[in-house]
Amino acid sequence: MSKINDVKAMVEAGKAKLVPGLIEEALAEGNAAPDILQAMVDSMSVVGDKFSAGEIFVPEMLMAAKAMSKGVEVLKPHFAGQSRSSLGTCVIGTVAGDLHDIGKNLVSMMIESAGFEIVNLGVDVSASKFMQAVKENKNVTLVACSGLLTTTMPAMKETVQTLKSSGLTGFKVIVGGAPVSAEFAASIGADGFAPDAGSAAARAVELVKG
Ligand code: B1M
């Protein structure tokens, strides 16, 4: 049986120490990096469903997240793109009040591989921190805001509206994350929306190239 199934099972079980080695084995077996990544994304959906059903709790969710993050580190070189820095700098972060970073880090990895320089502000990023980063970094062409909680959608709105009313120019704003829709993105004044990491990179390029 493919090692991908072992990767999936060990991410679900939160075995952070085992996942990197299993990924190396899955790659050596000839599995493609995007397929391994998708298996880990699927694992996190299972983890979310188990959390919703009351079968697991926050500590187990956290361990699964750590296991997936370790796995992503191993896969990252396999997503490295050819073009470097030609599309300017992308400031990326998870909005205020929200600590989820796996999806944001995948989006960051894909946007970087599409040719952006990345300034990753991490999680729980306030509107003013996004603004400061736009001011402090050279050639910011894109700001990317991630959010996973319905309760932090107002923080995403505040961030976009703060950036848009700041008088700063030369960059586009893209938003995304599980509770975010194209309609919500448009309603808060974002320039773009994407449902997943791959399409976020494609949309980022479109937005910046005009
Ligand atoms: Co939490 N959590 N969590 N959690 N967590 C969810 C999101 C939840 C859906 C679980 C559930 O109830 N089924 C639920 C949110 C419900 C809601 O609001 N609708 C939830 C909750 C309730 C909570 C807490 C409130 C739980 C509690 O304390 N009682 C708490 C909140 C803490 C906080 O943020 N203030 C909490 C905490 C945590 C952990 C810290 C334990 C951990 C996160 C650790 C970490 O990220 N380092 C965690 C986890 C792991 C999850 C689940 C299980 C997995 C999230 C994940 O990494 N998915 C999640 C359940 C689920 O998603 N089904 C859940 C994999 C990742 C690849 O997908 O992040 O969706 P995702 O990213 C995708 C797309 O959304 C998109 O592309 C990505 C890749 O394709 N995308 C973008 C993301 N950002 C984008 C930006 C873009 C474009 C696309 O443009 C800029």
Side-chain angles (χ1 to χ4, degrees):
M1 191 183 284
S2 167
K3 283 284 166 197
I4 286 193
N5 292 320
D6 294 344
V7 172
K8 200 167 180 294
M10 290 304 108
V11 169
E12 273 172 46
K15 302 286 185 194
K17 286 193 179 147
L18 296 182
V19 168
L22 286 170
I23 290 184
E24 297 288 10
E25 288 178 35
L27 289 165
E29 215 180 40
N31 294 288
D35 294 340
I36 301 171
L37 182 61
Q38 187 56 50
M40 291 199 288
V41 171
D42 293 346
S43 298
M44 296 311 284
S45 295
V46 173
V47 168
D49 291 346
K50 286 186 176 170
F51 177 75
S52 295
E55 291 169 23
I56 61 165
F57 301 95
V58 170
E60 287 93 335
M61 253 194 330
L62 195 53
M63 284 163 72
K66 278 191 183 149
M68 173 149 184
S69 297
K70 289 282 175 200
V72 171
E73 278 172 31
V74 179
L75 288 180
K76 198 173 174 193
H78 296 267
F79 287 90
Q82 303 300 315
S83 53
R84 304 283 308 160
S85 312
S86 56
L87 294 173
T89 298
C90 168
V91 169
I92 186 166
T94 303
V95 297
D98 200 325
L99 303 177
H100 295 85
D101 68 355
I102 296 178
K104 182 261 298 170
N105 288 341
L106 292 184
V107 170
S108 169
M109 184 172 89
M110 299 305 280
I111 288 182
E112 184 175 16
S113 73
F116 288 82
E117 198 84 56
I118 297 288
V119 174
N120 191 334
L121 301 178
V123 296
D124 190 18
V125 182
S126 65
S128 59
K129 276 196 195 150
F130 273 106
M131 280 265 292
Q132 201 181 336
V134 172
K135 285 183 193 158
E136 284 175 357
N137 289 283
K138 272 197 289 186
N139 192 23
V140 175
T141 53
L142 188 72
V143 178
C145 305
S146 176
L148 261 284
L149 297 171
T150 42
T151 49
T152 53
M153 290 169 83
M156 183 173 276
K157 178 178 178 181
E158 188 194 340
T159 302
V160 174
Q161 295 187 342
T162 302
L163 287 163
K164 288 288 174 186
S165 60
S166 65
L168 296 167
T169 55
F171 63 91
K172 295 285 170 55
V173 181
I174 182 170
V175 296
V180 181
S181 63
E183 292 71 29
F184 176 74
S187 77
I188 63 173
D191 300 298
F193 158 79
D196 56 51
S199 58
R203 189 77 184 104
V205 173
E206 269 172 24
L207 285 171
V208 168
K209 284 192 169 168

